[in-house]
Amino acid sequence: MGLPGVIFALALTTVATALDNGLMRTPPMGWLAWERYRCDIDCDNDPKNCISEVLFRDMADRLAEDGWRELGYDYINIDDCWSSRKRDEQGRLQPDPKRFPGGIPKLARYVHDRGLKLGIYGDLGTHTCMGYPGTTLDKIDTDAQTFADWGIDMLKLDGCYSNATEQEKGYPLMSKALNATGRPIGYSCSWPAYQGGLPPKVNYTQLGSICNLWRNYGDIQDSWDSVLNIVDWFSNHQDILQPVAGPGRWNDPDMLLIGDFGLSVDQSRSQMALWAIMAAPLFMSNDLRTLNSEARTILQNKGVIAINQDKMGVQGRRILKEKYGIEVYWRPLSNAASALVFFSRRTDMPYRYTTSLGKLNYTAASYQVYDVFSEKLMPGLNDTTDFTISINPSGVVMWYIIPPALLGQSQMGGGEYPNFRRKYRVSQRGGVGLPFSL
């Protein structure tokens, strides 16, 4: 099947009913506390890093002032350990009074005043994973209304201290309760992660009708091995997982580690590129106050973000797994464009990989290529022309492929591509504006 046929086939697989709240039509982006800060509640000795309103205000300031919000990173998400150990006299959840003295509504106003959204964490069980009050079945309506009253924009509902029967009842009930509040609240479900992530225990058609995103697999850890385990699981089961994603309903391989301690620069580019190809939510879990320039450059790369946020919303897939440790991933994009990721699992040295677009199932034509991480427009490629790229160990090369239809001519050769230059503001010196204007 040629490339247009593949795009059409993939598009047909993504027509399952989505949660009807109008939210998260592209994968949500923002910042989430858990991987970097876990359950640090020692505000006496670690006031800047403990789970408190200070931390979330600081991160909101950084998203608003350092260019993140304009790129789409607009969620500030609280995770576990925010609440008091007891509910209030009316049976409602309440924040820890020492660490959140202003309350969640005041924090929500602070976040909203900066053009951002506030997410919060709950657990469908007797307790959260770290032992704080959970949301049992009889508390679902109360907690949904409490979150709405507070001005919450997203709920991540975990599944510790519950069983399969309670989850089967509770996750749909929370979806209904959130919608009943009248406030648009994005809904992240951890349900499939507690049931092995695969059918028959997991019904992805049902999930797409009640949740905006869902955790399929275990928690990410700050290590390259953890990233590889997640990529392997998603790739090995892509025939099941890829068709169920789409606007308003996303597979969630968990947080971005970029800017923390466990990944090299090349590994950080790899996680960013592979998450973009998978149409994954982009939730950073790092310290935005001290982020180094290399991590910032990767996370703020407009080309990667544009690929991740493509409005067609088709999740990409692995199309080649070479025996010598090179893998190729492909994602169809709007306007017949596409993205390719060449990923090296090697650990020895840069690998020179030779192929052609024709060998990667592209139809006969000439294409323009934009290298996402070098931020350069490359010479045109015919489908039959072999090319060789150098891929660093545990690194990637990521390409945005511009189709002939956008170039305005059938053969690129050495021409000026007038229609393409006019539409995407390509300068005579080779600068490029693309759909993700640089």
Side-chain angles (χ1 to χ4, degrees):
M1 186 184 296
L3 190 62
V6 174
I7 293 174
F8 180 68
L10 286 183
L12 284 179
T13 65
T14 58
V15 295
T17 303
L19 174 62
D20 189 23
N21 61 8
L23 301 176
M24 300 179 175
R25 306 303 294 172
T26 60
M29 300 171 62
W31 183 92
L32 203 161
W34 180 254
E35 206 296 313
R36 175 62 179 80
Y37 295 95
R38 305 293 173 124
C39 195
D40 180 356
I41 58 173
D42 187 3
C43 293
D44 291 334
N45 296 303
D46 196 14
K48 289 194 64 176
N49 299 309
C50 66
I51 302 302
S52 73
E53 61 184 35
V54 173
L55 178 68
F56 296 100
R57 286 201 308 263
D58 281 354
M59 296 306 167
D61 289 343
R62 299 281 56 78
L63 287 190
E65 297 172 19
D66 295 347
W68 301 99
R69 179 187 60 204
E70 289 74 18
L71 293 169
Y73 293 98
D74 58 359
Y75 281 93
I76 290 285
N77 284 10
I78 304 169
D79 210 275
D80 205 348
C81 308
W82 61 269
S83 77
S84 171
R85 295 284 183 179
K86 294 183 178 180
R87 290 175 175 262
D88 69 13
E89 293 179 356
Q90 285 75 43
R92 297 172 299 195
L93 292 169
Q94 56 183 341
D96 182 278
K98 181 178 179 181
R99 294 183 285 115
F100 293 86
I104 302 300
K106 184 177 180 180
L107 179 59
R109 288 193 297 272
Y110 188 94
V111 168
H112 294 157
D113 286 346
R114 282 147 186 80
L116 304 168
K117 302 168 187 175
L118 184 64
I120 205 164
Y121 169 97
D123 186 283
L124 188 68
T126 57
H127 297 84
T128 71
C129 296
M130 299 305 295
Y132 291 81
T135 299
T136 49
L137 296 180
D138 61 311
K139 291 293 187 183
I140 286 175
D141 289 338
T142 298
D143 290 355
Q145 190 60 55
T146 298
F147 296 144
D149 293 343
W150 285 350
I152 292 297
D153 303 292
M154 175 179 168
L155 170 65
K156 173 184 172 181
L157 192 63
D158 215 336
C160 283
Y161 299 102
S162 64
N163 59 43
T165 300
E166 291 166 342
Q167 291 169 10
E168 186 175 359
K169 293 178 181 177
Y171 278 101
L173 284 174
M174 180 58 83
S175 180
K176 183 178 179 181
L178 291 173
N179 287 339
T181 68
R183 179 174 180 80
I185 299 176
Y187 186 27
S188 171
C189 304
S190 296
W191 188 9
Y194 285 88
Q195 299 302 321
L198 298 171
K201 288 187 176 181
V202 177
N203 182 339
Y204 278 107
T205 300
Q206 180 188 20
L207 273 171
S209 69
I210 64 171
C211 310
N212 294 113
L213 62 157
W214 45 79
R215 285 283 310 285
N216 318 64
Y217 193 68
D219 286 357
I220 198 167
Q221 307 297 325
D222 192 8
S223 74
W224 182 234
D225 283 346
S226 179
V227 172
L228 288 179
N229 287 339
I230 291 170
V231 170
D232 281 341
W233 189 83
F234 275 82
S235 298
N236 291 340
H237 300 296
Q238 64 185 10
D239 290 344
I240 294 168
L241 301 174
Q242 185 275 334
V244 303
R249 57 187 198 280
W250 309 104
N251 293 302
D252 182 5
D254 212 3
M255 292 160 276
L256 295 170
L257 305 173
I258 301 159
D260 289 328
F261 310 102
L263 305 187
S264 69
V265 172
D266 276 297
Q267 291 164 353
S268 296
R269 289 194 192 102
S270 294
Q271 190 192 16
M272 189 74 178
L274 292 168
W275 263 232
I277 284 287
M278 290 192 288
L282 299 182
F283 288 124
M284 305 177 286
S285 191
N286 51 23
D287 191 342
L288 296 173
R289 300 165 298 193
T290 60
L291 198 65
N292 65 55
S293 60
E294 289 176 325
R296 184 185 306 274
T297 297
I298 294 167
L299 289 163
Q300 293 192 346
N301 185 293
K302 294 178 181 178
V304 187
I305 292 170
I307 291 166
N308 174 262
Q309 294 290 296
D310 183 74
K311 293 187 184 302
M312 193 162 71
V314 176
Q315 181 174 319
R317 59 193 292 123
R318 184 175 64 195
I319 59 172
L320 273 179
K321 185 177 182 181
E322 306 280 18
K323 61 183 179 181
Y324 41 80
I326 302 299
E327 298 178 359
V328 183
Y329 293 76
W330 171 78
R331 181 179 174 187
L333 304 172
S334 301
N335 300 317
S338 58
L340 283 172
V341 168
F342 304 93
F343 173 46
S344 174
R345 288 177 173 266
R346 299 176 69 93
T347 58
D348 52 355
M349 60 185 292
Y351 187 84
R352 291 177 57 78
Y353 180 63
T354 299
T355 188
S356 70
L357 291 180
K359 293 173 185 174
L360 299 177
N361 212 29
Y362 279 73
T363 53
S366 294
Y367 300 84
Q368 189 73 39
V369 174
Y370 174 78
D371 189 298
V372 172
F373 286 112
S374 70
E375 300 185 0
K376 292 180 180 178
L377 190 65
M378 300 173 63
L381 276 181
N382 190 282
D383 63 289
T384 60
T385 305
D386 280 352
F387 58 83
T388 300
I389 53 175
S390 180
I391 315 167
N392 288 347
S394 66
V396 289
V397 171
M398 188 176 202
W399 283 1
Y400 180 91
I401 310 293
I402 303 154
L406 290 185
L407 292 169
Q409 56 184 61
S410 59
Q411 297 293 322
M412 289 187 294
E416 291 299 310
Y417 328 128
N419 292 348
F420 176 75
R421 291 185 182 279
R422 189 178 308 115
K423 184 175 177 108
Y424 293 121
R425 302 182 299 285
V426 180
S427 75
Q428 297 298 319
R429 294 185 299 276
V432 62
L434 292 167
F436 36 92
S437 56
L438 298 172

